[in-house]
Amino acid sequence: MSRSRDTIKDIYYLTPMQEGMLFHSLLHKSNEYFEQFTLELVGDVNVALVNQSFAKLIERYDILRTVFVWNKVKKSVQVVAKTQKTELIFEDVSQMSEDEKSRYVDRYKQKDRDEGFDLLRGPLIRLAILKKNSDSYIMIWSFHHILMDGWCVSILMQEFMHIYECLRTKQPIRLDTPIQFNSYMQWLEKQDREAARQYWSRYLANYEQQASVPRTAGKTGRTEAKLQKHAFCLGGGMTRELERLARQAQVTLNTVMQTLWGLLLQKYNQSGDVVFGTVVSGRPAEVPGIERMIGLFINTTPVRVSSSPDQSITALLRQVQEAALTSEAHSHFPLYEIQGLSGLKQGLIDHILVFENYPVAEAISQVDGTAGAAFGIRDVEVYEQTNYDLTVVLFPGEALSIEFRYNANVYDELFNQRMEGHIREIAQQMLADAQRPVASISVVTPEEKVQLLHGFNDTAAAYPLEATIHGLFEAQAEKTPDAVAVVYGEQQLTYAELNARANQLAWTLRGQGVGPECIVAILM
């Protein structure tokens, strides 16, 4: 990137989350952290005014004119350009059939994702409009997550609608002068990093085993992402009961769900001490105008759920809540530095739990603009990709919704369905008796109990009574010598290969004097 000094407005360092995203983007050279918001504009849409409105947003906010530099500098920086040319992408697909339109929109969104962004050159945000009909347009708003968090999109959408209506009606634009992202960076630089480092070092002391959700057999290490979702709802009744439990224990619903997830991980990992990641909003109240500021404020921090067998559920809830309140003061500290304080390093966490206090899609859908607006918004769809193979997203409301966003090359859909059952089972046990000891919690659902006790043990089958086991096996090996007999991980043996190895072992044992009725010890 080459920019002359007179084209640069500002230069400053990165937030902890930005540093992490830059690291992963450079390490994997993929389109991780690609954010894409798709929505339908219904009504009279003036494409030229859409372009002007988008351009004015770019003018208003420094972060939208930012690129990132890491070469030939001691420390990575973000560079704000004074101006940035914006070009709205417009395509008219109104002449296609409805099926063709749908397929074309899907192909366009995928092409947009595949194109990604160049962090060094920018721009890192773009807008496309696809005309479906005279009163229906698809807006595709894409950006790199390193610029801002999702909640900023609803703020930008509100301002976009206001600007558009003012331009359409030839009225003056009445928006407050925005407070730029660098004011948050100034606050961040004043924080006590050493105190935060010491806190997280104590928090993770003696933690040595990664807490994981069981993966698909044979899948280890990093693999290409095949993103899928598994979504379900706990229902209004259970949600109200969980909220009541939170009030009784004097904790938040977020804490209840973090504790529940921690108990699930403890069962999966056969450990009373587990750590997983969570996303914090990162908007400190002491920064003036922080609630309307545009930029990346979120950060990922570890949550440790450590329990003793006789500890009550209520006591564990309060313990997790107290730790969360203490951690909040140090939530600005970079995750990669927190990981460095642990013996597990990058293996400290392999998935994250996100509690969506402000569902972005719902917020955007409720942006109505001014009275008598030329168009409305509907069917908001959010696509985002992180570097984690599993992200568990909680959506509070009258009925709590949970969504597993997972890499299908790593996690199995069938197990995700079972995991849904495990979450419901733990929730029911917590609600039935909040004073019960942690050790009494079980993840096995009634359906799984039936399968374990009866289904798996239903081994009755007709067989030739006069035949021996080894005789039956040799007959099968002769019948299907090339068929796979055993599988372990990535290894497999055919019946012929297994029979040959069995015979080899048999001759070895006979050479050692083993005969009929001899006992042979097996060391495993």
Side-chain angles (χ1 to χ4, degrees):
M1 184 200 73
S2 59
R3 291 182 184 269
S4 60
R5 289 184 178 274
D6 58 350
T7 66
I8 295 175
K9 178 183 177 182
D10 208 348
I11 299 176
Y12 39 88
Y13 294 126
L14 281 62
T15 68
M17 194 68 160
Q18 285 178 319
E19 290 177 346
M21 289 183 180
L22 178 62
F23 171 78
H24 283 288
S25 296
L26 297 177
L27 179 65
H28 303 302
K29 293 182 173 59
S30 65
N31 289 333
E32 290 173 349
Y33 302 111
F34 186 94
E35 301 279 311
Q36 185 184 73
F37 289 73
T38 305
L39 46 146
E40 186 174 3
L41 307 181
V42 182
D44 183 17
V45 177
N46 185 317
V47 176
L49 293 185
V50 169
N51 192 27
Q52 292 177 42
S53 303
F54 183 58
K56 287 190 178 296
L57 284 180
I58 303 296
E59 291 174 13
R60 275 178 61 78
Y61 291 103
D62 288 356
I63 193 66
L64 303 183
R65 304 189 307 277
T66 297
V67 294
F68 295 81
V69 179
W70 58 89
N71 288 326
K72 300 179 181 179
V73 291
K74 290 183 179 179
K75 186 176 180 181
S76 298
V77 294
Q78 45 191 321
V79 179
V80 181
K82 289 181 179 178
T83 62
Q84 178 175 291
K85 185 178 180 181
T86 58
E87 292 184 3
L88 176 72
I89 303 166
F90 175 75
E91 295 188 22
D92 188 343
V93 297
S94 59
Q95 301 304 312
M96 298 180 181
S97 69
E98 291 304 311
D99 285 345
E100 288 174 330
K101 290 174 188 176
S102 179
R103 289 195 296 270
Y104 187 87
V105 171
D106 288 341
R107 287 198 303 270
Y108 185 91
K109 290 191 293 186
Q110 186 59 55
K111 184 183 73 172
D112 183 42
R113 297 168 194 169
D114 293 341
E115 183 179 346
F117 292 101
D118 187 334
L119 292 174
L120 189 61
R121 293 176 177 81
L124 303 182
I125 183 170
R126 58 177 170 259
L127 186 66
I129 297 289
L130 308 182
K131 181 180 179 180
K132 290 180 66 180
N133 300 299
S134 59
D135 63 348
S136 175
Y137 296 74
I138 300 297
M139 173 184 280
I140 302 172
W141 199 325
S142 305
F143 61 92
H144 197 291
H145 201 357
I146 200 169
L147 289 187
M148 57 185 174
D149 49 53
W151 182 245
C152 295
V153 178
S154 61
I155 299 174
L156 291 177
M157 199 64 206
Q158 291 169 5
E159 295 193 0
F160 169 84
M161 293 289 282
H162 174 82
I163 294 170
Y164 180 92
E165 285 303 310
C166 290
L167 293 175
R168 186 179 70 90
T169 58
K170 296 180 171 57
Q171 298 293 319
I173 298 172
R174 295 185 175 90
L175 291 174
D176 295 335
T177 302
I179 300 175
Q180 302 297 348
F181 189 54
N182 64 350
S183 62
Y184 167 74
M185 298 301 300
Q186 292 168 6
W187 172 88
L188 190 62
E189 290 174 3
K190 296 176 183 176
Q191 302 312 297
D192 190 338
R193 290 176 60 86
E194 184 55 35
R197 179 179 286 104
Q198 292 179 9
Y199 169 79
W200 289 114
S201 181
R202 293 192 300 271
Y203 186 81
L204 297 171
N206 302 316
Y207 184 74
E208 299 174 347
Q209 175 187 335
Q210 184 189 71
S212 299
V213 172
R215 297 175 172 233
T216 303
K219 297 294 184 181
T220 58
R222 185 172 179 81
T223 182
E224 183 181 347
K226 179 184 176 185
L227 300 181
Q228 289 189 13
K229 295 180 181 180
H230 177 83
F232 59 97
C233 183
L234 293 186
M238 178 173 283
T239 299
R240 288 189 292 273
E241 287 297 299
L242 289 170
E243 291 171 339
R244 182 181 59 81
L245 173 61
R247 289 193 298 272
Q248 290 177 344
Q250 298 180 314
V251 302
T252 64
L253 180 60
N254 187 12
T255 293
V256 171
M257 298 310 296
Q258 286 185 351
T259 304
L260 190 158
W261 185 255
L263 289 170
L264 182 65
L265 285 180
Q266 288 184 0
K267 297 301 180 180
Y268 286 165
N269 293 272
Q270 300 181 12
S271 171
D273 190 11
V274 296
V275 169
F276 56 92
T278 191
V279 175
V280 293
S281 69
R283 291 180 181 252
E286 58 265 36
V287 178
I290 191 71
E291 68 281 353
R292 297 289 299 182
M293 203 176 292
I294 304 299
L296 185 69
F297 303 96
I298 61 171
N299 195 23
T300 301
T301 58
V303 174
R304 187 172 187 176
V305 180
S306 180
S307 63
S308 56
D310 58 348
Q311 186 177 18
S312 71
I313 294 298
T314 298
L316 181 59
L317 286 168
R318 291 172 178 165
Q319 176 185 306
V320 174
Q321 175 79 26
E322 184 179 348
L325 293 173
T326 308
S327 297
E328 187 176 358
H330 307 289
S331 62
H332 60 275
F333 201 62
L335 176 61
Y336 68 86
E337 290 198 39
I338 296 175
Q339 291 171 320
L341 299 171
S342 162
L344 295 174
K345 305 302 179 186
Q346 294 291 322
L348 177 63
I349 57 176
D350 71 345
H351 68 279
I352 56 176
L353 184 78
V354 181
F355 193 84
E356 287 282 11
N357 282 307
Y358 307 104
V360 179
E362 181 180 331
I364 294 175
S365 298
Q366 295 172 355
V367 176
D368 296 323
T370 57
F375 59 82
I377 298 171
R378 70 183 184 190
D379 296 336
V380 180
E381 177 187 310
V382 180
Y383 170 90
E384 57 185 350
Q385 183 175 341
T386 72
N387 66 302
Y388 293 100
D389 287 320
L390 173 64
T391 300
V392 181
V393 187
L394 311 176
F395 298 95
E398 291 187 9
L400 181 69
S401 297
I402 302 177
E403 190 172 275
F404 302 147
R405 299 174 182 172
Y406 65 97
N407 182 354
N409 289 328
V410 177
Y411 294 100
D412 180 59
E413 167 59 17
L414 183 60
F415 185 81
N416 281 320
Q417 295 173 16
R418 291 179 57 197
M419 190 156 61
E420 172 188 339
H422 298 160
I423 288 176
R424 295 182 188 277
E425 186 67 24
I426 294 178
Q428 289 171 355
Q429 293 174 43
M430 291 172 66
L431 294 174
D433 181 9
Q435 299 306 317
R436 69 187 303 155
V438 168
S440 69
I441 293 291
S442 170
V443 300
V444 182
T445 65
E447 295 77 14
E448 288 175 327
K449 287 179 182 177
V450 171
Q451 187 179 36
L452 288 170
L453 294 175
H454 304 289
F456 290 160
N457 287 313
D458 185 11
T459 57
Y463 66 96
L465 297 177
E466 70 284 355
T468 61
I469 295 295
H470 68 272
L472 288 171
F473 174 79
E474 287 188 334
Q476 185 66 35
E478 185 175 348
K479 183 179 179 181
T480 58
D482 297 324
V484 175
V486 290
V487 176
Y488 174 72
E490 299 294 332
Q491 304 174 59
Q492 61 185 33
L493 292 175
T494 64
Y495 275 93
E497 290 169 336
L498 182 58
N499 193 37
R501 292 198 183 188
N503 287 332
Q504 183 181 21
L505 177 59
W507 282 107
T508 300
L509 292 174
R510 291 183 65 177
Q512 298 294 323
V514 175
E517 305 302 325
C518 286
I519 295 176
V520 179
I522 300 176
L523 176 63
M524 303 179 69

